Amino acid sequence: GQNIDQPTEMTATEGAIVQINCTYQTSGFNGLFWYQQHAGEAPTFLSYNVLDGLEEKGRFSSFLSRSKGYSYLLLKELQMKDSASYLCAPMDSNYQLIWGAGTKLIIKP
Amino acid sequence: GAVVSQHPSWVICKSGTSVKIECRSLDFQATTMFWYRQFPKQSLMLMATSNEGSKATYEQGVEKDKFLINHASLTLSTLTVTSAHPEDSSFYICSARSEDREIVTQPQHFGDGTRLSIL
């Protein structure tokens, strides 16, 4: 079957760094996406990894290890506006996104 | 580019009412549109996938007679919740997929969602 596993909730301090881990099992694999979702809003695209390694985009970086079925999203210099849910979504062999429940990130001053 | 417009953003209505939600791709042709439902603190749940000009494919457990999906053109898909009841209250989100060449770099463009509250 297909499965996504990421922590339900994490707390971090403004200005700090946080890493959100994700492990996955899918039927085939065509890359992994990270989305940000604020409460009551639709998800917004953050990053995409298809090859192993780290992709950096400003304060956000995403890492992928295909052999381990593992990815993480790294957020640096945390700001209060980063408080949101972060969704790990691998793409299966049919190019369908598989959604996990997401990690709710709480930023404290 | 790649803007998806979803209307209405908020609906409150009485039990038994049918509610139609529209999803439009404003600046691209969407060969495939997706309809999701999300209950509080839960993950996105794919309800159905629709392709222009053909019948929607519903996920297991989703009643196709209850949730009518029409994808009549490459820029418009509608979801009608028929005879809505309080348990149908949820956040409904549509997304659209553009040309295949973008499929792996930006697989879905999301609308802003519709919050449906049935009294």
Side-chain angles (χ1 to χ4, degrees):
Chain A
Q2 311 205 94
N3 186 59
I4 314 298
D5 191 25
Q6 50 181 131
T8 304
E9 187 174 297
M10 298 182 71
T11 302
T13 304
E14 189 177 15
I17 300 173
V18 71
Q19 178 175 311
I20 302 174
N21 295 322
C22 170
T23 56
Y24 62 89
Q25 288 180 310
T26 55
S27 301
F29 182 75
N30 280 299
L32 186 140
F33 298 79
W34 283 93
Y35 283 82
Q36 180 191 61
Q37 186 179 25
H38 285 99
E41 299 181 10
T44 56
F45 170 78
L46 287 179
S47 69
Y48 168 67
N49 294 68
V50 66
L51 299 176
D52 290 350
L54 188 68
E55 293 283 341
E56 297 185 77
K57 189 186 292 186
R59 294 190 298 116
F60 294 0
S61 302
S62 55
F63 172 84
L64 176 67
S65 169
R66 289 171 297 171
S67 62
K68 295 181 179 178
Y70 168 70
S71 173
Y72 68 72
L73 180 70
L74 190 72
L75 294 81
K76 303 176 184 177
E77 301 170 18
L78 287 170
Q79 302 175 8
M80 297 303 292
K81 67 179 182 180
D82 297 330
S83 292
S85 287
Y86 291 85
L87 311 176
C88 167
M91 179 180 278
D92 68 11
S93 58
N94 293 320
Y95 296 99
Q96 299 282 27
L97 291 176
I98 310 302
W99 298 93
T103 298
K104 181 179 180 181
L105 178 63
I106 300 169
I107 309 298
K108 295 186 175 180
Chain B
V3 176
V4 175
S5 174
Q6 184 174 342
H7 290 283
S9 57
W10 195 291
V11 180
I12 302 175
C13 58
K14 294 180 180 179
S15 182
T17 305
S18 291
V19 179
K20 179 184 281 189
I21 303 170
E22 290 190 350
C23 182
R24 293 180 184 272
S25 56
L26 298 185
D27 52 0
F28 66 98
Q29 293 186 327
T31 51
T32 305
M33 286 188 172
F34 304 88
W35 287 96
Y36 293 90
R37 180 167 57 181
Q38 187 175 34
F39 293 105
K41 299 183 180 181
Q42 294 187 22
S43 65
L44 289 171
M45 188 196 82
L46 180 64
M47 299 175 67
T49 302
S50 73
N51 293 292
E52 184 267 338
S54 62
K55 290 184 179 179
T57 301
Y58 289 80
E59 296 298 306
Q60 192 172 9
V62 178
E63 302 173 58
K64 55 185 175 183
D65 295 331
K66 171 80 173 175
F67 300 98
L68 302 178
I69 292 173
N70 183 282
H71 193 164
S73 75
L74 284 172
T75 59
L76 174 64
S77 177
T78 60
L79 166 68
T80 301
V81 183
T82 60
S83 187
H85 292 286
E87 58 266 28
D88 299 321
S89 298
S90 186
F91 189 49
Y92 292 85
I93 310 172
C94 74
S95 69
R97 192 156 71 189
S98 58
E99 296 84 13
D100 286 348
R101 62 183 172 82
E102 294 184 5
I103 195 171
V104 289
T105 57
Q106 183 59 284
Q108 294 182 31
H109 305 280
F110 287 89
D112 289 336
T114 297
R115 185 158 304 283
L116 177 62
S117 297
I118 308 298
L119 305 176

Coordinates of all heavy atoms in Angstrom, one line a residue, chain A residues 5-75:
Chain A
D5 N 4.5 9.1 6.4 CA 4.6 9.2 7.9 C 5.4 10.5 8.2 O 6.6 10.6 7.7 CB 5.3 8.0 8.4 CG 5.3 8.0 10.0 OD1 4.3 8.6 10.5 OD2 6.1 7.3 10.6
Q6 N 4.8 11.4 8.9 CA 5.5 12.6 9.3 C 4.9 13.0 10.7 O 3.8 12.6 11.0 CB 5.4 13.7 8.3 CG 4.0 14.0 7.8 CD 3.9 15.2 6.8 OE1 3.3 15.1 5.7 NE2 4.5 16.3 7.1
P7 N 5.7 13.7 11.5 CA 5.2 14.0 12.8 C 4.0 14.9 12.7 O 3.8 15.7 11.8 CB 6.4 14.8 13.4 CG 7.3 15.2 12.3 CD 7.1 14.2 11.2
T8 N 3.1 14.7 13.7 CA 1.8 15.4 13.7 C 2.0 16.9 14.1 O 1.4 17.7 13.4 CB 0.9 14.8 14.8 OG1 0.8 13.4 14.5 CG2 -0.4 15.5 14.8
E9 N 2.9 17.2 15.0 CA 3.1 18.5 15.4 C 4.5 18.8 15.9 O 5.1 17.9 16.4 CB 2.1 18.8 16.6 CG 2.1 20.3 17.0 CD 1.0 20.5 18.0 OE1 -0.2 20.3 17.7 OE2 1.3 20.9 19.2
M10 N 5.0 20.0 15.6 CA 6.4 20.4 16.1 C 6.3 21.8 16.5 O 5.5 22.6 16.0 CB 7.4 20.2 15.0 CG 7.6 18.8 14.4 SD 8.8 18.7 13.1 CE 10.3 18.9 14.1
T11 N 7.1 22.1 17.5 CA 7.2 23.5 18.0 C 8.6 24.0 17.9 O 9.6 23.2 18.2 CB 6.8 23.6 19.5 OG1 5.4 23.0 19.6 CG2 6.8 25.0 20.0
A12 N 8.8 25.2 17.5 CA 10.1 25.8 17.3 C 10.1 27.3 17.7 O 9.0 27.9 17.8 CB 10.7 25.6 15.9
T13 N 11.3 27.9 17.9 CA 11.4 29.3 18.3 C 11.7 30.2 17.1 O 12.4 29.8 16.2 CB 12.4 29.4 19.4 OG1 12.1 28.5 20.4 CG2 12.5 30.8 19.9
E14 N 11.1 31.3 17.1 CA 11.4 32.3 16.1 C 12.9 32.5 15.9 O 13.6 32.7 16.9 CB 10.7 33.7 16.4 CG 10.7 34.7 15.4 CD 10.0 35.9 15.8 OE1 9.7 36.1 17.0 OE2 9.6 36.8 14.9
G15 N 13.4 32.5 14.7 CA 14.8 32.7 14.4 C 15.6 31.4 14.4 O 16.7 31.4 13.9
A16 N 15.0 30.3 14.8 CA 15.7 29.1 14.9 C 15.6 28.3 13.6 O 15.1 28.8 12.6 CB 15.2 28.2 16.1
I17 N 16.1 27.0 13.6 CA 16.0 26.1 12.5 C 15.2 24.9 12.9 O 15.3 24.4 14.0 CB 17.4 25.7 12.1 CG1 18.3 26.8 11.7 CG2 17.3 24.6 10.9 CD1 19.7 26.5 11.4
V18 N 14.4 24.4 12.0 CA 13.6 23.2 12.3 C 13.6 22.3 11.1 O 13.7 22.7 9.9 CB 12.1 23.6 12.6 CG1 11.3 24.1 11.4 CG2 11.4 22.3 13.2
Q19 N 13.7 21.0 11.3 CA 13.7 20.0 10.3 C 12.4 19.1 10.4 O 12.2 18.5 11.5 CB 14.9 19.1 10.4 CG 15.0 18.0 9.4 CD 16.4 17.3 9.4 OE1 17.4 17.9 9.4 NE2 16.3 15.9 9.4
I20 N 11.7 19.0 9.4 CA 10.5 18.2 9.4 C 10.7 16.9 8.5 O 11.0 17.1 7.3 CB 9.3 18.9 8.8 CG1 9.0 20.2 9.6 CG2 8.0 18.0 8.8 CD1 7.9 21.1 9.1
N21 N 10.7 15.8 9.1 CA 11.0 14.5 8.4 C 9.8 13.9 7.8 O 8.6 14.0 8.4 CB 11.7 13.5 9.4 CG 13.0 14.0 9.9 OD1 13.8 14.6 9.2 ND2 13.3 13.8 11.2
C22 N 10.0 13.1 6.8 CA 8.9 12.4 6.1 C 9.5 11.1 5.6 O 10.5 11.1 4.9 CB 8.4 13.2 5.0 SG 7.2 12.4 3.9
T23 N 8.8 10.0 5.9 CA 9.1 8.7 5.3 C 7.9 8.3 4.5 O 6.7 8.6 4.8 CB 9.5 7.6 6.3 OG1 8.4 7.5 7.2 CG2 10.7 8.0 7.0
Y24 N 8.1 7.6 3.4 CA 7.0 7.3 2.5 C 7.2 5.9 1.8 O 8.3 5.4 1.7 CB 6.9 8.3 1.4 CG 8.1 8.4 0.5 CD1 8.2 7.6 -0.6 CD2 9.2 9.3 0.8 CE1 9.4 7.7 -1.4 CE2 10.3 9.3 0.0 CZ 10.4 8.5 -1.1 OH 11.5 8.6 -1.9
Q25 N 6.1 5.4 1.4 CA 6.0 4.1 0.6 C 5.0 4.4 -0.5 O 3.8 4.7 -0.1 CB 5.7 2.9 1.5 CG 6.7 2.5 2.5 CD 6.2 1.2 3.2 OE1 5.1 1.3 3.8 NE2 7.0 0.2 3.3
T26 N 5.4 4.2 -1.7 CA 4.4 4.5 -2.8 C 4.6 3.4 -3.9 O 5.6 2.7 -3.9 CB 4.7 5.8 -3.4 OG1 6.0 6.0 -3.9 CG2 4.3 7.0 -2.5
S27 N 3.6 3.3 -4.7 CA 3.6 2.4 -5.9 C 4.3 3.2 -7.0 O 3.7 4.0 -7.7 CB 2.2 2.0 -6.3 OG 1.6 1.3 -5.2
G28 N 5.6 3.0 -7.1 CA 6.4 3.8 -8.1 C 6.7 5.1 -7.5 O 6.1 5.5 -6.4
F29 N 7.5 5.9 -8.1 CA 8.0 7.1 -7.6 C 8.4 8.1 -8.7 O 9.2 7.7 -9.6 CB 9.2 6.9 -6.6 CG 9.6 8.2 -5.9 CD1 8.9 8.7 -4.9 CD2 10.8 8.8 -6.3 CE1 9.4 9.9 -4.3 CE2 11.3 9.9 -5.7 CZ 10.6 10.5 -4.7
N30 N 7.8 9.3 -8.6 CA 8.1 10.3 -9.6 C 8.5 11.6 -9.0 O 8.1 12.7 -9.5 CB 7.0 10.5 -10.6 CG 7.0 9.4 -11.7 OD1 8.0 9.3 -12.5 ND2 6.0 8.6 -11.8
G31 N 9.1 11.5 -7.8 CA 9.5 12.8 -7.1 C 8.6 13.0 -5.9 O 7.6 12.4 -5.7
L32 N 9.1 14.0 -5.1 CA 8.4 14.3 -3.8 C 8.3 15.8 -3.7 O 9.2 16.5 -4.0 CB 9.2 13.7 -2.6 CG 8.5 13.8 -1.3 CD1 8.7 12.5 -0.5 CD2 9.0 15.0 -0.5
F33 N 7.1 16.2 -3.3 CA 6.8 17.6 -3.1 C 6.5 17.9 -1.7 O 6.0 17.1 -0.9 CB 5.5 17.9 -3.9 CG 5.7 17.7 -5.4 CD1 5.6 16.4 -5.9 CD2 5.9 18.7 -6.3 CE1 5.8 16.1 -7.3 CE2 6.1 18.5 -7.6 CZ 6.0 17.2 -8.1
W34 N 6.9 19.2 -1.3 CA 6.5 19.7 0.0 C 5.6 20.9 -0.3 O 5.8 21.8 -1.1 CB 7.7 20.2 0.7 CG 8.5 19.1 1.4 CD1 9.5 18.4 0.9 CD2 8.2 18.5 2.7 NE1 10.0 17.4 1.8 CE2 9.2 17.5 2.9 CE3 7.3 18.7 3.7 CZ2 9.2 16.7 4.0 CZ3 7.3 18.0 4.8 CH2 8.3 17.0 5.0
Y35 N 4.5 21.0 0.5 CA 3.5 22.1 0.4 C 3.4 22.7 1.8 O 3.5 22.0 2.8 CB 2.1 21.6 -0.1 CG 2.1 21.3 -1.6 CD1 2.5 20.1 -2.1 CD2 1.5 22.3 -2.4 CE1 2.4 19.9 -3.5 CE2 1.4 22.0 -3.8 CZ 1.8 20.9 -4.3 OH 1.8 20.6 -5.7
Q36 N 3.0 23.9 1.8 CA 2.7 24.6 3.0 C 1.2 24.9 3.0 O 0.7 25.3 2.0 CB 3.5 26.0 3.1 CG 3.2 26.8 4.4 CD 3.8 28.2 4.3 OE1 3.4 29.0 3.4 NE2 4.7 28.5 5.2
Q37 N 0.5 24.7 4.1 CA -0.9 25.0 4.2 C -1.2 25.8 5.5 O -1.1 25.2 6.6 CB -1.7 23.7 4.1 CG -3.2 24.0 4.0 CD -4.1 22.8 3.9 OE1 -3.7 21.7 4.3 NE2 -5.2 22.9 3.3
H38 N -1.6 27.0 5.3 CA -2.1 27.8 6.5 C -3.5 27.4 6.8 O -4.3 26.9 5.9 CB -2.0 29.3 6.3 CG -0.6 29.8 6.4 ND1 0.2 30.0 5.3 CD2 0.2 30.1 7.4 CE1 1.4 30.5 5.7 NE2 1.4 30.5 7.0
A39 N -3.9 27.5 8.0 CA -5.3 27.1 8.4 C -6.4 27.8 7.6 O -6.3 29.0 7.4 CB -5.5 27.4 9.9
G40 N -7.3 27.0 7.0 CA -8.4 27.5 6.3 C -8.0 27.9 4.9 O -8.8 28.6 4.2
E41 N -6.8 27.6 4.4 CA -6.3 27.9 3.1 C -5.9 26.7 2.3 O -5.7 25.7 2.9 CB -5.2 29.0 3.2 CG -5.5 30.3 3.8 CD -4.4 31.2 3.9 OE1 -3.4 31.0 3.2 OE2 -4.5 32.3 4.5
A42 N -5.8 26.9 1.0 CA -5.3 25.8 0.2 C -3.8 25.6 0.3 O -3.1 26.6 0.7 CB -5.7 26.0 -1.3
P43 N -3.3 24.5 0.0 CA -1.8 24.3 0.0 C -1.1 25.1 -1.0 O -1.7 25.4 -2.1 CB -1.6 22.8 -0.3 CG -3.0 22.2 -0.1 CD -4.0 23.2 -0.4
T44 N 0.1 25.5 -0.7 CA 1.0 26.3 -1.7 C 2.3 25.5 -1.8 O 2.8 25.0 -0.9 CB 1.3 27.7 -1.2 OG1 1.8 27.7 0.1 CG2 0.0 28.5 -1.2
F45 N 2.7 25.4 -3.1 CA 3.9 24.6 -3.4 C 5.2 25.3 -2.8 O 5.4 26.5 -2.8 CB 4.0 24.6 -4.9 CG 5.3 24.1 -5.5 CD1 5.5 22.7 -5.5 CD2 6.3 24.9 -5.9 CE1 6.7 22.2 -6.0 CE2 7.5 24.4 -6.4 CZ 7.7 23.0 -6.5
L46 N 6.0 24.4 -2.2 CA 7.3 24.8 -1.6 C 8.5 24.3 -2.4 O 9.4 25.1 -2.8 CB 7.4 24.4 -0.2 CG 6.6 25.1 0.9 CD1 6.8 24.4 2.2 CD2 6.8 26.6 0.9
S47 N 8.5 23.0 -2.6 CA 9.7 22.4 -3.2 C 9.4 21.1 -3.9 O 8.4 20.4 -3.6 CB 10.8 22.2 -2.2 OG 10.4 21.1 -1.3
Y48 N 10.3 20.7 -4.7 CA 10.2 19.4 -5.5 C 11.6 18.7 -5.5 O 12.6 19.4 -5.9 CB 9.7 19.7 -6.9 CG 9.8 18.5 -7.8 CD1 9.0 17.4 -7.6 CD2 10.6 18.6 -8.9 CE1 9.1 16.3 -8.5 CE2 10.7 17.5 -9.8 CZ 10.0 16.4 -9.6 OH 10.0 15.3 -10.5
N49 N 11.7 17.5 -5.2 CA 12.9 16.7 -5.3 C 12.6 15.4 -6.1 O 11.6 14.7 -5.8 CB 13.4 16.2 -3.9 CG 13.9 17.4 -3.1 OD1 13.1 18.2 -2.6 ND2 15.2 17.5 -2.8
V50 N 13.5 15.1 -7.1 CA 13.3 13.9 -7.8 C 14.6 13.1 -7.7 O 14.6 11.8 -7.8 CB 12.9 14.1 -9.3 CG1 14.0 14.8 -10.1 CG2 12.5 12.8 -9.9
L51 N 15.7 13.7 -7.6 CA 17.0 13.1 -7.4 C 17.5 13.2 -5.9 O 17.0 14.1 -5.2 CB 18.1 13.7 -8.3 CG 17.8 13.6 -9.8 CD1 18.9 14.4 -10.6 CD2 17.6 12.2 -10.3
D52 N 18.3 12.3 -5.5 CA 18.8 12.3 -4.2 C 19.6 13.6 -3.9 O 20.3 14.1 -4.8 CB 19.8 11.1 -3.9 CG 19.0 9.8 -3.8 OD1 17.7 9.8 -3.8 OD2 19.6 8.7 -3.9
G53 N 19.5 14.1 -2.7 CA 20.3 15.3 -2.4 C 19.4 16.4 -1.9 O 18.3 16.2 -1.6
L54 N 20.1 17.5 -1.7 CA 19.5 18.7 -1.1 C 19.2 19.8 -2.2 O 20.0 20.1 -3.0 CB 20.5 19.3 -0.1 CG 20.0 20.4 0.8 CD1 18.9 19.9 1.8 CD2 21.2 21.0 1.6
E55 N 18.0 20.3 -2.1 CA 17.6 21.4 -2.9 C 17.3 22.6 -2.0 O 16.5 22.5 -1.1 CB 16.3 21.1 -3.7 CG 16.4 20.0 -4.7 CD 17.0 20.5 -6.0 OE1 17.0 21.7 -6.2 OE2 17.5 19.6 -6.8
E56 N 18.0 23.7 -2.3 CA 17.9 24.9 -1.5 C 17.2 26.0 -2.2 O 17.4 26.3 -3.4 CB 19.3 25.4 -1.1 CG 20.0 24.3 -0.2 CD 21.4 24.9 0.3 OE1 21.3 25.6 1.3 OE2 22.4 24.5 -0.2
K57 N 16.2 26.6 -1.5 CA 15.5 27.7 -2.0 C 15.2 28.7 -0.9 O 14.2 28.6 -0.2 CB 14.1 27.2 -2.6 CG 13.4 28.2 -3.4 CD 12.0 27.6 -3.8 CE 12.1 26.5 -4.8 NZ 10.7 26.1 -5.3
G58 N 16.1 29.7 -0.8 CA 16.0 30.7 0.2 C 16.1 30.1 1.6 O 17.0 29.3 1.9
R59 N 15.1 30.4 2.4 CA 15.2 29.9 3.8 C 14.8 28.4 3.9 O 15.0 27.8 4.9 CB 14.2 30.7 4.7 CG 14.6 32.2 4.9 CD 13.8 32.8 6.0 NE 12.4 32.9 5.6 CZ 11.4 32.3 6.3 NH1 11.7 31.5 7.4 NH2 10.2 32.4 6.0
F60 N 14.2 27.9 2.8 CA 13.7 26.5 2.8 C 14.6 25.6 2.0 O 15.1 26.0 0.9 CB 12.3 26.4 2.3 CG 11.2 27.1 3.1 CD1 11.6 27.8 4.3 CD2 9.9 27.1 2.7 CE1 10.6 28.4 5.0 CE2 8.9 27.8 3.5 CZ 9.3 28.4 4.6
S61 N 14.9 24.4 2.5 CA 15.6 23.4 1.8 C 14.9 22.1 1.9 O 14.3 21.8 3.0 CB 17.1 23.3 2.4 OG 17.8 24.5 2.3
S62 N 15.0 21.3 0.9 CA 14.4 19.9 1.0 C 15.4 18.9 0.5 O 16.2 19.1 -0.4 CB 13.1 19.9 0.1 OG 13.4 20.2 -1.2
F63 N 15.4 17.8 1.3 CA 16.3 16.7 1.0 C 15.6 15.4 0.7 O 14.5 15.2 1.2 CB 17.2 16.4 2.3 CG 18.1 15.2 2.2 CD1 19.3 15.3 1.6 CD2 17.7 14.0 2.7 CE1 20.1 14.2 1.5 CE2 18.4 12.9 2.6 CZ 19.7 13.0 2.0
L64 N 16.2 14.6 -0.2 CA 15.6 13.3 -0.6 C 16.6 12.2 -0.6 O 17.7 12.4 -1.1 CB 14.9 13.5 -2.0 CG 14.3 12.2 -2.6 CD1 13.1 11.7 -1.8 CD2 14.0 12.4 -4.0
S65 N 16.2 11.1 -0.1 CA 16.9 9.8 -0.2 C 15.9 8.8 -0.7 O 15.1 8.3 0.0 CB 17.6 9.4 1.1 OG 18.1 8.0 1.0
R66 N 16.0 8.5 -2.0 CA 15.1 7.5 -2.6 C 15.2 6.1 -2.1 O 14.3 5.4 -1.8 CB 15.2 7.5 -4.1 CG 14.7 8.8 -4.8 CD 15.1 8.8 -6.3 NE 16.6 8.9 -6.4 CZ 17.2 8.7 -7.6 NH1 16.5 8.5 -8.7 NH2 18.5 8.8 -7.7
S67 N 16.5 5.7 -1.8 CA 16.7 4.3 -1.3 C 16.1 4.1 0.0 O 15.7 3.0 0.4 CB 18.2 4.0 -1.3 OG 18.9 4.9 -0.5
K68 N 16.1 5.2 0.8 CA 15.5 5.1 2.2 C 14.1 5.5 2.3 O 13.5 5.4 3.3 CB 16.4 6.0 3.1 CG 17.8 5.5 3.3 CD 18.5 6.4 4.3 CE 20.0 5.9 4.5 NZ 20.8 6.8 5.4
G69 N 13.5 6.0 1.2 CA 12.1 6.4 1.2 C 12.0 7.6 2.2 O 11.0 7.6 3.1
Y70 N 12.9 8.5 2.2 CA 13.0 9.5 3.2 C 13.2 10.9 2.6 O 14.0 11.1 1.7 CB 14.1 9.2 4.2 CG 14.6 10.2 5.1 CD1 13.8 10.6 6.2 CD2 15.8 10.8 5.0 CE1 14.2 11.6 7.1 CE2 16.2 11.8 5.9 CZ 15.4 12.2 6.9 OH 15.8 13.1 7.8
S71 N 12.6 11.9 3.2 CA 12.8 13.3 2.8 C 12.7 14.1 4.1 O 12.1 13.7 5.1 CB 11.7 13.7 1.8 OG 11.8 15.1 1.5
Y72 N 13.3 15.3 4.0 CA 13.0 16.3 5.1 C 13.0 17.7 4.5 O 13.5 18.0 3.4 CB 14.1 16.2 6.2 CG 15.5 16.6 5.9 CD1 15.8 18.0 5.7 CD2 16.5 15.7 5.8 CE1 17.1 18.4 5.4 CE2 17.8 16.1 5.5 CZ 18.1 17.4 5.3 OH 19.4 17.8 5.0
L73 N 12.3 18.5 5.2 CA 12.1 20.0 4.9 C 12.8 20.7 6.0 O 12.5 20.5 7.2 CB 10.7 20.4 4.8 CG 10.4 21.8 4.4 CD1 10.8 22.1 3.0 CD2 8.9 22.2 4.6
L74 N 13.8 21.6 5.6 CA 14.5 22.3 6.6 C 14.1 23.8 6.5 O 14.2 24.4 5.4 CB 16.0 22.2 6.3 CG 17.0 22.7 7.4 CD1 16.9 21.9 8.6 CD2 18.4 22.8 6.8
L75 N 13.7 24.4 7.5 CA 13.3 25.8 7.6 C 14.3 26.6 8.5 O 14.5 26.2 9.6 CB 11.9 26.0 8.1 CG 10.8 25.4 7.2 CD1 10.6 23.9 7.5 CD2 9.5 26.1 7.6

